[in-house]
């Protein structure tokens, strides 16, 4: 198998290849991350394309499933990918984003010449990409199976990070990986599991196992007795505002702290950018409901202090109209002080908003179903829940979008029974 560095050097030709299909006749293979395009999804699409490359004559094309301009909303992903790709004389400009080419033309090409799509970090095409469904050949994912694409080879395990499953595939086929790829893979596992935290309850034994395999392969900045460090003194010496590279990091803790701080720097974003930064959309039930879920690394009480309850409601309602949603769930999460002068505690909140097509009885039943869900543990955020979007505190803080989507899906599907 060619090394990761040689694979990276093929990336720059991919966008041109997808925009000059008339000059090609061979079968195409795309590796597509999910539409939230978070760090886990981006890294997993790149690493899985590399893992698949020995089995395919033409190099698989990893696709970053967001617009190129939206990378500005993801500074943690920009920093990690820039650092690891530059080590192989490449960069983010070499990557292919979903708006760099015409997906409908690719599908038309696939009908004539062949198209294989591998979904990574999701197991069914996004509601706006359903034309890909007949072409899905493989799935590597860590979300609840939506039971679509029955023709696909699938590896679906509810681990903390999809990068864990891709790392396992590479370990089983190669035995080892290059230092840059090891760093690229370990980063999203740390982010998605809150640094393998037992209190966050997201890390599985397999996540821990893959981090233990990857860490010795990373070239840390200097020798450390324990690169899986929990000493915050080292990382906190650095300000992530000033970090331009990750070449200097000396432990997993430092890597985690820098990327996590960048991921959480969202207070400067507009309400619309907060809602779209980490967003997924589905079609659920019969008759079909369009469901959108935004995940925001910004506690609701901070957002309210910045924008006001009234302005947040207006922004969410405008988002519902813009995306033509029947129901929107806005998940906010992060640390916030408990009372004046209190310590910062991790928590979650939830906003639920409905489109104009959803009648009052349907709204009541959806809200009632969500409040009964033991996965969420919802409590009213305000004593006076007036009209419009409804605000909740989510006491089950371990439940992320991976758990919230199945919960809303079950509620909506129960409406048609």
């Amino acid at each position: 198998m060619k090394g990761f560095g040689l694979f990276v050097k093929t990336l720059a030709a991919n966008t041109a290849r997808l925009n000059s299909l008339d000059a090609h006749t061979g079968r195409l293979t795309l590796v597509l991350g999910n539409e939230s395009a978070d760090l886990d999804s981006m890294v997993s699409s790149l690493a899985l394309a590399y893992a698949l490359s020995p089995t395919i004559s033409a190099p698989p094309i990893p696709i970053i499933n967001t617009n190129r301009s939206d990378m500005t909303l993801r500074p943690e992903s920009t920093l990690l990918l820039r650092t690891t790709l530059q080590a192989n004389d490449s960069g983010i400009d070499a990557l292919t984003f979903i708006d760099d080419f015409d997906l409908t033309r690719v599908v038309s090409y696939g009908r004539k010449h062949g198209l294989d799509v591998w979904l990574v970090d999701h197991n069914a095409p996004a509601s706006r990409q359903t034309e890909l469904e007949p072409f899905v050949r493989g799935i590597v994912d860590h979300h609840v199976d939506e039971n679509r694409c029955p023709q696909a080879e699938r590896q679906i395990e509810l681990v903390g990070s999809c990068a864990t499953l891709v790392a396992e595939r590479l370990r089983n086929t190669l035995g080892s990986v290059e230092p840059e790829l090891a760093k690229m893979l370990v980063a999203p596992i740390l982010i998605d599991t809150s640094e393998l935290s037992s209190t966050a309850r997201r890390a599985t034994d397999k996540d821990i196992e893959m981090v233990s395999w990857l860490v010795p392969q990373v070239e840390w900045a200097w020798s450390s007795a324990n690169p899986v460090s929990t000493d915050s003194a080292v990382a906190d010496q650095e300000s992530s505002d000033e970090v331009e590279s990750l070449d200097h990091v000396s432990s997993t803790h430092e890597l985690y702290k820098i990327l996590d701080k960048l991921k959480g720097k969202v207070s400067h974003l507009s309400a619309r950018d907060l809602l779209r930064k980490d967003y997924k959309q589905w079609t659920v039930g019969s008759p079909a409901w369009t469901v959108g879920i935004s995940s925001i690394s910004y506690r609701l009480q901070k957002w309210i202090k910045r924008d006001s309850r009234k302005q947040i409601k207006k922004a969410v309602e405008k988002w519902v109209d813009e995306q033509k949603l029947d129901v929107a769930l806005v998940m906010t999460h992060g640390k916030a002080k408990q009372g004046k002068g209190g310590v910062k505690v991790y928590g979650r909140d939830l906003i639920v908003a409905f489109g104009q097509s959803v009648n009052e009885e349907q709204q009541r039943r959806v809200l009632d179903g969500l409040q009964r869900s033991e996965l969420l543990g919802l409590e009213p955020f305000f004593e006076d829940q007036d009209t419009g979007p409804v605000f909740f505190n989510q006491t089950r803080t371990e439940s992320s979008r991976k758990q919230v989507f199945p919960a809303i899906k079950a509620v909506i599907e129960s409406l048609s029974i």
Side-chain angles (χ1 to χ4, degrees):
M1 182 174 182
K2 294 180 180 179
F4 183 65
L6 291 175
F7 171 77
V8 166
K9 287 177 171 59
T10 69
L11 297 175
N14 288 336
T15 299
R17 184 175 160 203
L18 291 176
N19 284 303
S20 58
L21 293 174
D22 292 342
H24 299 274
T25 57
R27 195 173 191 87
L28 276 178
T29 300
L30 305 183
V31 182
L32 184 68
N34 72 45
E35 64 180 328
S36 75
D38 62 2
L39 186 64
D40 190 31
S41 188
M42 291 188 192
V43 167
S44 295
S45 62
L46 283 164
L48 181 60
Y50 171 58
L52 292 171
S53 58
T55 65
I56 298 167
S57 55
I61 301 177
I63 306 295
I64 308 299
N65 202 355
T66 192
N67 294 342
R68 183 176 290 274
S69 60
D70 286 348
M71 277 298 283
T72 58
L73 301 176
R74 299 166 172 84
E76 74 285 358
S77 300
T78 299
L79 178 60
L80 179 72
L81 294 179
R82 184 176 67 226
T83 298
T84 50
L85 294 175
Q86 279 180 350
N88 290 292
D89 300 320
S90 186
I92 291 173
D93 287 348
L95 300 178
T96 301
F97 292 78
I98 196 66
D99 63 336
D100 286 339
F101 64 98
D102 185 339
L103 187 62
T104 300
R105 283 196 65 217
V106 169
V107 169
S108 297
Y109 175 93
R111 292 194 182 103
K112 294 180 182 178
H113 305 291
L115 172 64
D116 293 323
V117 176
W118 281 76
L119 302 181
V120 64
D121 204 19
H122 60 317
N123 57 71
S127 59
R128 288 173 278 203
Q129 297 171 344
T130 54
E131 58 189 334
L132 293 175
E133 193 152 342
F135 302 98
V136 175
R137 178 184 172 185
I139 294 168
V140 179
D141 185 36
H142 67 136
H143 299 88
V144 173
D145 196 344
E146 295 185 43
N147 296 311
R148 288 165 53 189
C149 309
Q151 76 281 6
E153 172 188 331
R154 61 215 301 125
Q155 180 185 9
I156 300 177
E157 298 180 40
L158 302 183
V159 294
S161 173
C162 191
T164 291
L165 301 179
V166 181
E168 181 184 43
R169 182 179 285 250
L170 286 164
R171 184 193 64 177
N172 292 345
T173 55
L174 297 181
S176 64
V177 292
E178 289 89 334
E180 296 81 16
L181 181 54
K183 182 183 288 185
M184 185 185 287
L185 283 164
V186 80
I189 303 175
L190 297 173
I191 291 292
D192 284 0
T193 63
S194 298
E195 202 179 3
L196 304 178
S197 166
S198 57
T199 56
R201 291 183 282 185
R202 297 190 199 123
T204 66
D205 290 344
K206 186 168 287 189
D207 296 299
I208 296 168
E209 179 185 354
M210 287 302 103
V211 168
S212 297
W213 175 67
L214 290 165
V215 164
Q217 301 180 77
V218 178
E219 287 183 353
W220 302 102
W222 60 80
S223 178
S224 173
N226 180 19
V228 186
S229 169
T230 57
D231 182 7
S232 61
V234 177
D236 293 342
Q237 292 173 1
E238 292 284 352
S239 168
S240 62
D241 296 339
E242 302 170 357
V243 174
E244 296 183 357
S245 170
L246 293 171
D247 292 335
H248 69 287
V249 297
S250 60
S251 68
T252 56
H253 183 67
E254 190 174 0
L255 179 64
Y256 169 76
K257 291 293 285 186
I258 291 170
L259 295 177
D260 188 56
K261 186 174 181 181
L262 279 174
K263 182 182 178 183
K265 288 184 70 65
V266 298
S267 60
H268 64 290
L269 297 178
S270 68
R272 182 176 180 274
D273 281 347
L274 287 173
L275 290 166
R276 73 188 184 92
K277 179 179 185 289
D278 188 352
Y279 175 75
K280 291 184 181 179
Q281 185 171 308
W282 297 265
T283 301
V284 172
S286 180
W289 287 50
T290 303
V291 178
I293 303 182
S294 300
S295 179
I296 301 173
S297 303
Y298 195 37
R299 284 301 297 277
L300 184 54
Q301 65 192 69
K302 293 182 180 180
W303 193 9
I304 291 170
K305 185 177 181 180
R306 190 193 79 170
D307 289 356
S308 82
R309 177 183 179 183
K310 180 180 179 181
Q311 290 304 314
I312 291 172
K313 288 177 66 172
K314 287 178 64 176
V316 173
E317 288 170 339
K318 188 173 181 180
W319 180 252
V320 169
D321 290 342
E322 179 183 330
Q323 301 301 316
K324 298 179 174 59
L325 301 176
D326 295 300
V327 61
L329 279 66
V330 180
M331 305 180 63
T332 70
H333 57 94
K335 289 186 176 181
K337 287 184 178 179
Q338 299 300 296
K340 190 174 182 180
V343 297
K344 288 187 176 181
V345 177
Y346 183 84
R348 288 185 176 274
D349 310 292
L350 182 68
I351 304 172
V352 183
F354 296 96
Q356 296 180 7
S357 61
V358 182
N359 62 47
E360 289 186 7
E361 174 62 15
Q362 290 172 319
Q363 292 183 31
R364 184 194 64 77
R365 291 178 64 184
V366 169
L367 290 171
D368 184 57
L370 290 174
Q371 289 179 86
R372 288 201 312 268
S373 173
E374 295 181 359
L375 282 171
L376 307 182
L378 297 182
E379 296 177 349
F381 193 91
F382 296 109
E383 292 183 4
D384 60 323
Q385 294 282 19
D386 54 10
T387 58
V390 183
F391 294 64
F392 294 101
N393 172 249
Q394 181 184 318
T395 63
R396 293 292 298 272
T397 58
E398 71 275 16
S399 292
S400 65
R401 184 164 47 197
K402 284 169 62 178
Q403 290 76 35
V404 172
F405 171 65
I408 185 65
K409 181 174 182 282
V411 170
I412 290 172
E413 289 175 344
S414 72
L415 298 181
S416 60
I417 296 176

